């Protein structure tokens, strides 16, 4: 190794010997992996320009990169990266739809999650060849707000009256997921411990829609996964919002701030409001106390704050009442979150796996396993368990 090239190389220790790889290839392969590039092992390897082969293999597995690529010529590495990016970005746009408020997610922050979703879409399409194209992708784009809202519901045969008929928001949420997955729209949630990557501190977004002509997918994200910080009414609204984005052919991470004091003037957001709280149904509402806001929240299965903002948009509440109720709801929310910090949020592994993979995909994997179409080991890998486990599959089946 001569001095002119030493700055571009890093050493890999294999037993008592060293081999050298291109430092830029090392960085390039890992730079698309958000849960590796901030790890101390990775940072130390960059700083010291050396790494043990065992540690390289460990990091490569975390990033799902064949470790042999680190020893490959530049052309092969570049071709592999281009191929992976093409597969990834067929389903998403590399940008952020920010609907007021701040968001700062990049695709690399969630790249392994998006890849997981794409694999689910390809898997289901492979094993269900007769499934038609999803109608949510073929709606006319230039329509007025109310017509577009009605056409989404019609295309998916989604009965909002039935959803509103459930006594609790949680049961309405389960109904919504069941109905959308019946319409071949996959729904999954962020669940620490079940995802292939940890979403780093500071990343803010509400969810993402991932495109596929037969099985489009929705992924919901919350930094705090408890029902206090991530209330069911907000999750319901986010699903509908991402559904609207799909219908308008927008497949990017979405960020919105539901704590703003002014209605969000974005077409997708207004259509989502119309689907959940139609002008026709809410028009004429009489608001005499904050309990009326809570009652409407229970009826429409959204958060009280979202009801309040809808009333303001439709000019159904005066400014004094709005300010008073807004402050009261905000105080209640902050108090509930503060109290919840003293109560550990517990959710078992089986529920995390099902929430992250989605019920439809999980059930499909178990059904194909039962018919012998896929092996036991493949079923475990598809659901995120890389070690073959009979009890794991049994627990998932029982939970479904």
């Amino acid at each position: 190794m001569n001095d002119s090239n030493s700055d571009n190389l890093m050493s890999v220790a294999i037993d008592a010997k060293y081999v050298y790889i291109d430092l830029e290839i090392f960085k390039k392969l890992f730079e698309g992996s958000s849960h590796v590039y901030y790890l101390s092992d990775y940072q130390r390897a960059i700083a010291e320009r050396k790494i043990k082969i065992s540690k390289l293999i460990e990091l490569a597995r975390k990033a799902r990169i064949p470790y042999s690529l680190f020893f490959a010529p530049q052309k092969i590495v570049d071709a592999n990266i281009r191929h992976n990016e093409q597969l990834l970005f067929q389903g998403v746009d590399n940008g952020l739809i920010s609907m007021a408020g701040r968001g700062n997610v990049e695709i690399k922050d969630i790249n392994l999650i998006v890849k997981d979703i794409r694999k689910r879409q390809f898997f289901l399409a492979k094993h269900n060849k007769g499934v038609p194209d999803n109608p949510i992708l073929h709606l006319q784009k230039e329509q007025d707000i109310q017509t577009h809202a009605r056409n989404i519901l019609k295309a998916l045969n989604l009965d909002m009256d039935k959803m509103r008929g459930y006594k609790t928001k949680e049961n309405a949420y389960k109904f919504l997921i069941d109905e959308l997955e019946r319409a071949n729209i996959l729904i999954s949630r962020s669940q620490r411990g079940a995802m292939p990557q940890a979403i780093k501190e500071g990343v803010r977004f509400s969810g993402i829609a991932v495109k596929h002509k037969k099985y489009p997918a929705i992924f919901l994200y919350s930094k705090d996964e408890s029902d206090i910080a991530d209330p069911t009414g907000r999750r319901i609204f986010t699903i509908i919002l991402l559904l609207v984005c799909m219908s308008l052919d927008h497949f990017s991470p979405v960020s919105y701030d539901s704590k703003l004091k002014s209605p969000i003037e974005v077409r997708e957001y207004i259509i989502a409001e119309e689907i959940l709280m139609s002008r026709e149904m809410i028009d004429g509402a009489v608001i005499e106390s904050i309990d009326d806001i809570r009652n409407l929240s229970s009826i429409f299965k959204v958060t009280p704050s979202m009801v309040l903002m809808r009333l303001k948009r439709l000019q159904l509440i005066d400014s004094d009442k709005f300010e008073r109720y807004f402050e009261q709801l905000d105080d209640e929310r902050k108090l509930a979150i503060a109290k919840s910090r003293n109560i550990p949020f517990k959710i078992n592994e089986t529920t995390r796996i099902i929430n992250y993979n989605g019920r439809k995909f999980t059930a499909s994997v178990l059904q194909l396993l039962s018919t012998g179409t896929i092996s036991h080991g493949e079923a475990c890998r598809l659901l995120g368990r890389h070690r073959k486990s009979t009890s794991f599959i049994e627990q998932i089946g029982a939970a479904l």
Side-chain angles (χ1 to χ4, degrees), residues 87-362:
L87 288 177
L88 179 63
F89 294 125
Q90 281 175 359
V92 296
D93 301 320
N94 193 17
L96 174 71
I97 302 174
S98 184
M99 303 187 182
R102 295 165 61 191
N104 63 343
V105 66
E106 297 180 34
I107 290 300
K108 69 179 181 180
D109 293 319
I110 53 172
N111 69 330
L112 293 186
I113 293 168
V114 173
K115 285 179 181 178
D116 260 2
I117 293 170
R118 296 289 288 158
K119 286 177 182 177
R120 292 172 202 157
Q121 293 169 325
F122 294 145
F123 178 85
L124 289 172
K126 174 184 175 182
H127 292 284
N128 299 277
K129 296 189 183 300
V131 172
D133 287 0
N134 202 292
I136 192 68
L137 305 178
H138 299 289
L139 294 181
Q140 183 182 337
K141 306 296 185 286
E142 300 299 325
Q143 305 176 93
D144 64 72
I145 298 295
Q146 290 172 303
T147 300
H148 197 95
R150 285 195 298 268
N151 285 345
I152 288 175
L153 298 177
K154 183 179 179 181
L156 300 177
N157 195 26
L158 190 55
D159 188 341
M160 298 304 290
D161 287 333
K162 190 171 182 179
M163 191 189 89
R164 286 187 285 265
Y166 283 90
K167 290 184 178 180
T168 67
K169 292 176 186 176
E170 191 61 34
N171 285 339
Y173 171 74
K174 291 176 182 176
F175 167 80
L176 178 61
I177 288 177
D178 287 345
E179 289 299 288
L180 291 180
E181 293 206 318
R182 175 194 52 75
N184 293 325
I185 294 174
L186 308 180
I187 312 289
S188 60
R189 285 175 64 187
S190 61
Q191 296 281 248
R192 283 187 294 275
M195 301 184 294
Q197 69 186 110
I199 298 175
K200 66 181 180 180
E201 194 73 22
V203 168
R204 292 186 297 274
F205 73 110
S206 303
I208 185 171
V210 181
K211 191 172 185 177
H212 188 277
K213 67 178 182 179
K214 298 179 185 294
Y215 293 100
I218 286 171
F219 174 74
L220 304 176
Y221 174 65
S222 176
K223 178 182 175 182
D224 187 331
E225 296 169 358
S226 71
D227 291 336
I228 301 297
D230 183 30
T232 305
R234 179 181 169 87
R235 275 184 270 129
I236 288 172
F237 187 88
T238 304
I239 287 174
I240 297 299
L241 177 59
L242 287 165
L243 199 64
V244 175
C245 289
M246 278 185 185
S247 73
L248 294 171
D249 203 30
H250 296 162
F251 293 89
S252 295
V254 166
S255 173
Y256 70 94
D257 188 345
S258 59
K259 299 184 290 294
L260 296 176
K261 283 191 173 184
S262 299
I264 295 174
E265 301 297 339
V266 177
R267 177 174 170 79
E268 290 91 337
Y269 198 95
I270 299 171
I271 295 171
E273 282 187 353
E274 178 65 26
I275 289 174
L276 285 163
M277 301 170 278
S278 70
R279 178 185 292 269
E280 182 182 11
M281 289 195 69
I282 206 169
D283 201 20
V286 177
I287 307 300
E288 297 180 344
S289 73
I290 197 167
D291 287 336
D292 295 323
I293 302 294
R294 294 192 181 100
N295 289 337
L296 290 174
S297 167
S298 297
I299 290 169
F300 292 114
K301 304 299 183 284
V302 295
T303 65
S305 297
M306 289 173 178
V307 170
L308 193 60
M309 204 58 64
R310 180 64 168 165
L311 292 170
K312 184 173 184 178
R313 186 189 301 281
L314 299 179
Q315 300 180 341
L316 296 173
I317 189 169
D318 65 57
S319 58
D320 288 342
K321 283 182 180 178
F322 175 86
E323 288 291 335
R324 189 165 68 252
Y325 297 158
F326 184 95
E327 295 300 330
Q328 188 172 341
L329 290 171
D330 193 46
D331 289 343
E332 290 173 359
R333 180 187 63 83
K334 290 175 181 175
L335 181 61
I337 291 174
K339 286 182 177 179
S340 72
R341 292 193 183 111
N342 299 321
I343 304 172
F345 175 62
K346 296 181 180 180
I347 180 171
N348 63 47
E349 182 192 16
T350 302
T351 303
R352 288 185 185 278
I353 293 289
I354 294 172
N355 285 346
Y356 173 63
N357 285 289
R359 296 185 69 85
K360 184 182 183 73
F361 177 75
T362 304

